[in-house]
Amino acid sequence: MTSSRFRIRRVAVLGAGVMGAQIAAHCANANVPVILFDLAAKEGDPDAIVKRSIAGLKKLEPAPLATVDRAAHIEVANYDRDAARLADCDLVIEAIAERMDWKHGLYAKVSPHLRADAIFATNTSGLSINALADGCPEAMRSRFCGVHFFNPPRYMALVELIPARGTDAALLDRLEDFLTTTLGKNVVRALDTPNFVANRIGVFSMLAAMHHTVRLGLGFDEVDALTGPAIGRPKSATYRTADVVGLDTLLHVVKTMTDNLQDDPWHRHYVAPAWLAALVERGALGQKTKAGVYRKDGKAIKVLDLALQDYRDAAGTVAEEVQTILAERDPAMKLAALRASHHPQAQFLWSIFRDVFHYVAVHLGDIAHNARDVDFAMRWGFGWSAGPFETWQGAGWQQVAQWLREDIAAGRAMSDAPLPAWVFERHGVHEAAGSWSAAAAKLEPRSVSPRQLFPERVLAEVPRATHTVWEGEEVRLWTLDDADGERVPVLSFKSRMSCVGPKVLDGIREAIARAERDFDGLVIWQPQGPFSVGANLKQIRPVLEAGDFVTLERVINDFQQASMAIKYAQVPVITAVQNMALGGGCEFVMHSPRAVVALESYIGLVEAGVGLIPAGGGCKEFAIRAARAAEASATKDPMNFLQSVFQTIAMANVSKSARHAQELGLLKQEDVVVMHANELLHVARRNAVAMADSAWRPPLPAVDIPVAGRSGIATLDMMLVNMREGGMISAHDYRVAHASATALCGGDIETGARVNEQWLLEVERALFVDLLKTKETQARIAHMMDTGKPLRN
């Protein structure tokens, strides 16, 4: 494998269990041909095991498949009949149960069928990569490594890449490129130590939380209230996470540490609490068995109470005193207050912070190449908003180190292991020049793919410089100092959640005018998601309450003209989308000649939720697309297109992925789906340059558009009448949906009448303003503003 052109064209996944099937699903999401293997069934269809697993993918939540039809792109295979098909695969990922002997047995079975240049990787979560490599034929060992996906593979950013002693270095580089760009993952190069980086630290942090829960007499639900978003961790916190992972799986990971880390200073804590072992013993394994630390009784959530030895209603809360401490913005003052407080909740939080700081400092040289890898592993693998070293350094490195030393000396820490000398010789582990490597005793600079123009950063890393071309109150037009930057500037919104109000609309038109005058293209991109959640209701509400509908109609007209400016600009305007593009944000995307969209983008026209219809040109665009679809079809009937679009708008449906948005018609088929959100801007700028270099021109104005008219409205209304009469929708729901049907069908005119874009814009604008005048829509807008939830009235 000496050629730099080596490509991973086809993947095989060995093992159709939970992880194997979902890894295969994510390959299908990325348009990578994939074969899913398992044992041949002993009776009936030999492929029954794999087929059952693929069928299960369609039912899982969160959905492992970007669209349900992706399941059809996973090929079915069993070892007895299909082993020879492995010769067609460039990458083979083993994902069977965590048994060394089973894995070695499988390696012996499949190795004769592998290509001489194929990469063979194990998805083990903690077994020794070198010990697994020893079970491979000698000739295969240079191509063997660990590739540890986190569950669920589609959504969890982290993949740990672990070489064995003899793994070829160039192979690792190629595999990392594939994992990053093709599958959209964030890769941490890990050492071959038990449980690698994230699970080693993450499981220790859970064991520390369990230890201090019992020591301080706290409830499991109380601890979850403390260890979730209150300290920058996921909502699942500690014990809900254990239930989601599976208590049996957690026990297995702990046992790996028990068996393989006997000289570790914390070894006595690498043991499952008695209550946890008892739950597993009786089959209460967490979410998958519907009972674990938590149990759902009807709508009530129950939590295990150790004092009662039974379940009780879950009602854990953070004490007011502790809430006040956690609200402190200065991290140094926050940690100092937690340490000084006598409240058990505060003592708990200080204890878990202290013990994790202690643990990562002592083990940094053993488990990771540098502190940056530790922090990223915990952010990407466990969803922490900041890694342990970032938290420590942000709170004052030397002061926290002194507190740790005092607690260790006083016997308050979980281990008496002394802090390494380097801790007291430094003022932190992250600097602009790099992050501290305890093993190498130096700062290690960061290497980042040139495709990631703005990669995630750890504390003290310096962001890439940008140059402001022009700036308004709520937008900024800027460039990077490179060849693409000289040709294609970037427009970013500064409003909260990238909401769109009059100043953003003015900014879009100004940016397009400047791009037409001075550049070859324009990219609309937000440095942090979302792309845009649509109209700024906060700005609209006072005008609405004043009854100034003349001003509101002018704002809607401005919205439409901004969309049209994107569509008919004399340079390509690329929308680069990640996270959410809702309402007006979605309409901007629909009008751009090309959208470049991260897979995990959730796109929709959601105006019905506040009693409105899309009026930034969204209905108009769908009417045009329906006319084109009809012209290309055998039946010439636009309703084949409009019925599904109408349902999407009326139900305020939001796509579950970028590929789903294409399926719903919210994205064009020629729009580009990017797997890694951090590569979005690079791809968008390159698309703009390529379009400019190909002498791209905007489309000619759409004229002579045949619309569905009254007949189409009547067809769509039939669905609504039955729902209204059956009590499924309210009278106002009917009115809103009828308005969207009217806009999609070009207004209350003859079926087949031919109109232009301006007509369609005026129809949707008039319907939008009529809805704004209703008390029901006004109530829905106020309720959404006040509660963040939709009102059904």
Side-chain angles (χ1 to χ4, degrees):
M1 226 173 35
T2 57
S3 171
S4 61
R5 294 192 180 119
F6 177 86
R7 297 184 184 278
I8 294 174
R9 293 177 170 84
R10 185 180 298 274
V11 172
V13 178
L14 310 183
V18 173
M19 284 300 291
Q22 292 196 61
I23 292 169
H26 197 57
C27 289
N29 291 339
N31 286 343
V32 176
V34 59
I35 309 173
L36 182 59
F37 280 81
D38 211 302
L39 298 168
K42 294 179 180 178
E43 296 180 359
D45 183 354
D47 293 325
I49 294 173
V50 176
K51 287 180 178 177
R52 187 164 54 247
S53 181
I54 293 173
L57 292 171
K58 302 176 185 179
K59 303 172 186 176
L60 284 178
E61 289 293 340
L65 297 162
T67 56
V68 173
D69 65 356
R70 292 270 143 184
H73 298 283
I74 304 173
E75 298 178 50
V76 175
N78 68 72
Y79 303 119
D80 292 349
R81 183 191 63 221
D82 302 306
R85 296 174 65 189
L86 291 168
D88 298 328
C89 299
D90 306 290
L91 169 63
V92 178
I93 301 173
E94 169 269 303
I96 69 169
E98 295 284 77
R99 283 272 302 267
M100 185 81 69
D101 55 339
W102 289 2
K103 290 178 185 287
H104 282 168
L106 181 60
Y107 299 172
K109 187 172 187 175
V110 301
S111 60
H113 302 281
L114 301 180
R115 276 213 329 261
D117 62 349
I119 301 171
F120 192 85
T122 175
N123 183 57
T124 180
S125 60
L127 295 180
S128 167
I129 301 302
N130 283 305
L132 288 169
D134 290 342
C136 296
E138 184 70 36
M140 202 171 88
R141 292 179 190 175
S142 65
R143 296 176 282 112
F144 182 83
C145 64
V147 54
H148 178 214
F149 288 82
F150 278 66
N151 189 21
R154 171 183 164 185
Y155 300 96
M156 295 302 293
L158 179 64
V159 170
E160 292 174 319
L161 187 56
I162 315 103
R165 282 184 295 268
T167 306
D168 178 72
L171 172 146
L172 289 173
D173 292 340
R174 291 173 187 137
L175 184 53
E176 181 170 349
D177 286 345
F178 172 78
L179 292 167
T180 302
T181 295
T182 304
L183 296 189
K185 297 295 141 192
N186 292 335
V187 174
V188 165
R189 299 278 186 106
L191 302 175
D192 185 22
T193 57
N195 294 337
F196 313 128
V197 182
N199 275 346
R200 176 75 175 271
I201 298 166
V203 172
F204 172 77
S205 74
M206 294 178 77
L207 291 172
M210 291 175 182
H211 170 77
H212 293 299
T213 299
V214 174
R215 180 178 71 83
L216 292 163
L218 303 180
F220 295 144
D221 52 340
E222 190 178 5
V223 167
D224 277 355
L226 291 166
T227 57
I231 59 169
R233 308 273 174 86
K235 288 182 180 178
S236 56
T238 299
Y239 294 104
R240 288 186 190 277
T241 295
D243 272 356
V244 170
V245 168
L247 302 185
D248 53 337
T249 302
L250 179 60
L251 274 188
H252 172 80
V253 178
V254 171
K255 188 175 186 303
T256 300
M257 298 167 76
T258 306
D259 294 346
N260 296 286
L261 295 170
Q262 296 184 15
D263 295 330
D264 188 285
W266 282 266
H267 183 263
R268 67 188 179 91
H269 294 289
Y270 298 158
V271 59
W275 60 263
L276 178 58
L279 285 174
V280 173
E281 179 68 25
R282 68 171 186 250
L285 307 181
Q287 192 174 79
K288 58 190 172 186
T289 60
K290 304 188 185 305
V293 178
Y294 291 90
R295 186 181 74 195
K296 193 170 183 181
D297 286 352
K299 293 185 178 181
I301 304 297
K302 305 283 189 177
V303 64
L304 182 66
D305 189 307
L306 294 182
L308 298 175
Q309 289 294 296
D310 198 359
Y311 288 88
R312 59 167 171 79
D313 289 340
T317 57
V318 179
E320 187 174 341
E321 174 187 333
V322 179
Q323 285 180 348
T324 301
I325 295 173
L326 293 177
E328 170 60 55
R329 290 174 177 264
D330 185 324
M333 293 181 66
K334 183 185 299 186
L335 274 188
L338 289 174
R339 185 171 188 260
S341 172
H342 294 294
H343 195 286
Q345 290 187 359
Q347 281 298 298
F348 172 85
L349 287 175
W350 163 250
S351 297
I352 63 169
F353 278 124
R354 174 200 64 214
D355 290 330
V356 171
F357 294 161
H358 186 193
Y359 191 82
V360 296
V362 170
H363 283 303
L364 176 58
D366 305 330
I367 64 175
H369 291 290
N370 54 61
R372 178 177 54 247
D373 287 350
V374 166
D375 283 341
F376 276 147
M378 297 314 297
R379 280 162 54 172
W380 297 336
F382 276 75
W384 294 10
S385 61
F389 283 119
E390 291 177 295
T391 302
W392 179 350
Q393 184 168 329
W397 183 267
Q398 284 297 335
Q399 175 61 78
V400 173
Q402 182 58 36
W403 289 337
L404 297 189
R405 181 155 58 183
E406 291 172 7
D407 278 18
I408 294 166
R412 290 189 287 267
M414 290 173 67
S415 168
D416 61 1
L419 288 168
W422 62 261
V423 168
F424 300 100
E425 295 166 358
R426 305 192 53 77
H427 293 280
V429 289
H430 300 305
E431 298 181 17
S435 294
W436 180 252
S437 169
K442 65 177 184 179
L443 292 172
E444 287 193 351
R446 185 167 180 197
S447 174
V448 179
S449 165
R451 295 173 60 89
Q452 296 194 17
L453 302 176
F454 293 93
E456 291 185 56
R457 306 191 311 274
V458 289
L459 188 73
E461 279 191 290
V462 179
R464 184 169 184 159
T466 62
H467 311 283
T468 299
V469 174
W470 169 79
E471 192 163 10
E473 192 171 328
E474 292 191 351
V475 300
R476 176 175 175 249
L477 185 68
W478 52 275
T479 62
L480 286 173
D481 189 13
D482 61 14
D484 285 352
E486 293 172 2
R487 300 183 61 183
V488 180
V490 180
L491 178 68
S492 298
F493 304 165
K494 298 189 292 181
S495 52
R496 184 177 179 273
M497 301 288 282
S498 302
C499 283
V500 179
K503 292 173 183 175
V504 170
L505 296 173
D506 291 343
I508 290 172
R509 291 195 294 271
E510 175 67 21
I512 290 172
R514 288 173 178 267
E516 289 176 329
R517 186 181 68 220
D518 300 327
F519 298 96
D520 292 337
L522 176 67
V523 171
I524 303 177
W525 174 80
Q526 316 306 348
Q528 296 177 340
F531 175 78
S532 175
V533 295
N536 191 331
L537 295 178
K538 186 177 181 180
Q539 293 178 348
I540 290 174
R541 186 177 183 179
V543 184
L544 179 61
E545 290 174 346
D548 187 356
F549 295 103
V550 173
T551 296
L552 287 169
E553 184 165 4
R554 186 170 63 248
V555 171
I556 303 309
N557 181 66
D558 288 347
F559 217 126
Q560 293 177 334
Q561 295 313 307
S563 295
M564 295 290 277
I566 290 171
K567 183 174 182 177
Y568 290 112
Q570 295 300 301
V571 294
V573 179
I574 309 296
T575 47
V577 180
Q578 62 176 315
N579 197 274
M580 292 183 288
L582 304 178
C586 175
E587 289 172 298
F588 290 157
V589 174
M590 292 175 69
H591 282 80
S592 64
R594 181 165 299 162
V596 178
V597 188
L599 179 75
E600 297 308 331
S601 295
Y602 313 105
I603 302 171
L605 296 168
V606 296
E607 289 84 354
V610 289
L612 294 168
I613 67 169
C619 292
K620 177 264 300 180
E621 279 299 295
F622 274 138
I624 294 172
R625 293 179 190 184
R628 289 174 181 162
E631 289 170 357
S633 71
T635 63
K636 308 299 181 185
D637 185 359
M639 297 309 296
N640 293 334
F641 180 88
L642 284 179
Q643 283 183 309
S644 62
V645 165
F646 170 67
Q647 186 172 358
T648 297
I649 292 176
M651 301 296 292
N653 288 337
V654 175
S655 74
K656 296 179 180 179
S657 70
R659 298 204 190 282
H660 187 216
Q662 288 178 314
E663 197 174 80
L664 293 174
L666 296 164
L667 293 178
K668 302 180 288 294
Q669 290 304 308
E670 61 267 29
D671 289 334
V672 179
V673 176
V674 174
M675 295 299 290
H676 201 303
N678 287 352
E679 298 186 354
L680 191 65
L681 182 57
H682 165 79
V683 176
R685 296 201 309 159
R686 296 298 292 270
N687 267 265
V689 167
M691 291 170 74
D693 286 346
S694 65
W696 175 89
R697 297 280 301 174
L700 294 171
V703 296
D704 203 30
I705 306 160
V707 295
R710 294 189 187 101
S711 175
I713 296 169
T715 299
L716 297 177
D717 263 355
M718 288 173 60
M719 300 165 53
L720 299 174
V721 170
N722 290 335
M723 294 175 72
R724 183 185 62 188
E725 297 304 319
M728 299 171 65
I729 60 174
S730 69
H732 195 61
D733 288 330
Y734 172 82
R735 181 173 183 170
V736 173
H738 176 77
S740 66
T742 304
L744 289 169
C745 294
D748 188 10
I749 59 176
E750 289 296 323
T751 296
R754 293 179 178 270
V755 301
N756 59 25
E757 281 188 274
Q758 188 57 38
W759 169 274
L760 294 170
L761 288 171
E762 289 172 1
V763 167
E764 69 176 38
R765 186 169 70 248
L767 290 164
F768 185 94
V769 173
D770 283 347
L771 288 169
L772 275 178
K773 293 177 180 178
T774 66
K775 66 180 187 302
E776 292 87 354
T777 286
Q778 292 174 17
R780 289 187 182 189
I781 291 172
H783 190 270
M784 179 65 75
M785 291 289 296
D786 294 338
T787 70
K789 298 177 181 179
L791 171 68
R792 284 289 166 259
N793 58 353

